Amino acid sequence: MNQEPKGFVPLSLAELDTLTRLLSGLLSTEHPPVIIPGEAILGIEAMAAGISAPGRTFLNVVTGPYGSLFGQWLERGGATVAEVRVPFDEVVPAERIAAAIGQHKPDALSFVQAEVVTGGSNPAGEILRLARRHNLITVLDSVSAVGGEPLPVDEWGVDFAAVGAQKALAGPNGVSAVSITPRGWEFLESNGNAPRNSILSLLDLKPAGNGTAPVRVPPNIPTLEARALIAALTAVEEEGLEQVIRRHERAAASAVAGIKALGLAPWQKDSRHYSTLTTTVRISGEQRLHIARPVGIVAPGDGELFGQLLRINHFGANASRICVEEAIATLAGLLNQDAGPALGAIRLVWEE
Ligand SMILES: *Cc1c(COP(=O)(O)O)cnc(C)c1O
């Protein structure tokens, strides 16, 4: 009888190599990103824990709840944290950051590139140009930007960028990545308080130096999630990253056109800085838009934003014309309106 063993095949070095290559390609970086054995928020907390220390000054930008949390984690590490905060229906103007850099003379600048919770996208390219001019270490939460807008890590000189696959990349949420420049590694290594022997330790995950390939697969990488991430990133590569971004841009532009045709307004104020992953809809006095739970990709606001806005979550596999059409039909239904004109407005954007 054939007694072939059945069961679980561990991740191979070839698969690890493929995953690393796909992640580097996604971020346009020559420095292999660290694979984080958990959801993206783990990589984000690990960045804060690894870089914060008494005597270091950070400029932390808060345009939504994730930026707020990052500032708290930096403070926990003993750093001086200066905050630039804007109302969550606005993004941060680069001029505000320039002024704060002059005032606080920080060592590093941290911000969330784009926010699905608020529907805003910060002017990352402009902010990073400023950071380069002042030689600041830069730290980005790009979980809700990657795949929806450009993130050329090396060109922009981003020292730390945390990414996950479960938003625009239609991938798993159980494994994520942080890309780190050589300068970023120095910033971690020169911090006596950076965690070691801890789930929050980026230093424990540092790949062997001098560009040598790993000789074994780190045992902490979750195998099934890593395979799912390879599958998602391979699909992105096949569609083409630019096309994935374009699809998100269209989804957002068509959702905005649709809500305007229904007589509604985006919650975000500046039309040049909408997220391409979510469109947030201002509720104002419109009682019929108060929904308690998600209907398809239309969801109520999170936390403090509940009751202020509705979110249309057109990202990942839902960044499509049909999903936006369904969402706008849902809103038309809530408003008791004919969806026809709004669906026409959506069609125009996709046929452009
Ligand atoms: C979704 C999101 C996260 C958290 O990602 P998880 O993988 O769910 O932990 C962090 N930051 C931003 C900006 C996000 O949108």
Side-chain angles (χ1 to χ4, degrees):
M1 250 182 49
N2 187 354
Q3 290 280 331
E4 284 290 318
K6 291 205 180 75
F8 192 73
V9 180
L11 200 70
S12 69
L13 263 181
E15 285 173 303
L16 178 65
D17 192 53
T18 301
L19 180 52
T20 305
R21 179 186 62 74
L22 287 165
L23 285 168
S24 301
L26 177 73
L27 302 175
S28 304
T29 176
E30 63 175 46
H31 308 296
V34 174
I35 297 167
I36 300 293
E39 58 172 314
I41 202 77
L42 174 60
I44 296 168
E45 187 173 353
M47 294 193 301
I51 58 182
S52 180
R56 288 184 173 181
T57 300
F58 288 82
L59 190 63
N60 183 53
V61 177
V62 179
T63 52
Y66 285 111
S68 216
L69 190 57
F70 195 75
Q72 289 166 28
W73 284 331
L74 287 174
E75 277 175 356
R76 189 177 63 188
T80 302
V81 183
E83 192 175 80
V84 174
R85 179 183 281 266
V86 296
F88 290 176
D89 55 0
E90 295 173 21
V91 300
V92 69
E95 303 77 59
R96 276 283 304 276
I97 296 191
I101 292 173
Q103 187 186 347
H104 300 287
K105 311 268 182 298
D107 304 294
L109 169 71
S110 50
F111 66 100
V112 175
Q113 189 175 349
E115 307 257 9
V116 283
V117 178
T118 67
S121 170
N122 286 304
E126 231 181 303
I127 295 172
L128 289 163
R129 204 170 314 127
L130 265 175
R132 284 197 300 279
R133 200 176 307 145
H134 293 274
N135 202 27
L136 304 181
I137 293 280
T138 48
V139 187
L140 262 65
D141 170 351
S142 297
V143 179
S144 288
V146 66
E149 53 185 274
L151 176 54
V153 161
D154 286 359
E155 185 190 323
W156 280 355
V158 183
D159 293 298
F160 295 86
V163 295
Q166 81 278 29
K167 301 274 167 65
L169 302 174
N173 65 351
V175 66
S176 57
V178 173
S179 89
I180 305 177
T181 58
R183 200 168 83 121
W185 283 115
E186 276 167 32
F187 198 58
L188 284 166
E189 278 159 355
S190 60
N191 179 9
N193 289 357
R196 281 283 193 184
N197 303 316
S198 159
I199 190 73
L200 290 178
S201 177
L202 290 171
L203 292 173
D204 288 354
L205 301 177
K206 187 177 181 188
N210 54 44
T212 49
V215 292
R216 66 183 184 112
V217 176
N220 64 341
I221 297 181
T223 307
L224 300 182
E225 283 77 2
R227 289 206 176 110
L229 184 55
I230 290 172
L233 296 181
T234 303
V236 167
E237 198 179 59
E238 281 166 10
E239 184 179 350
L241 180 59
E242 277 181 17
Q243 175 54 31
V244 174
I245 293 173
R246 181 93 189 94
R247 183 158 53 74
H248 282 85
E249 288 170 350
R250 282 201 159 139
S254 65
V256 170
I259 65 170
K260 286 186 173 164
L262 292 174
L264 299 170
W267 189 69
Q268 272 294 320
K269 286 188 176 147
D270 188 340
S271 62
R272 293 166 307 164
H273 298 292
Y274 294 151
S275 154
T276 59
L277 274 64
T278 57
T279 296
T280 45
V281 184
R282 192 167 287 276
I283 289 183
S284 45
E286 188 47 86
Q287 290 307 313
R288 286 173 296 192
L289 291 180
H290 283 279
I291 55 172
R293 60 184 66 83
V295 184
I297 63 167
V298 179
D302 278 348
E304 64 193 273
L305 302 180
F306 185 86
Q308 293 191 45
L309 58 84
L310 291 184
R311 267 168 66 175
I312 306 176
N313 293 316
H314 44 67
F315 56 77
N318 294 324
S320 72
R321 174 172 159 177
I322 191 144
C323 289
V324 173
E325 286 172 347
E326 280 170 12
I328 295 299
T330 296
L331 292 179
L334 290 172
L335 294 169
N336 240 332
Q337 274 189 37
D338 171 17
L343 295 177
I346 292 170
R347 190 178 336 111
L348 281 181
V349 172
W350 286 90
E351 284 172 0
E352 229 168 50

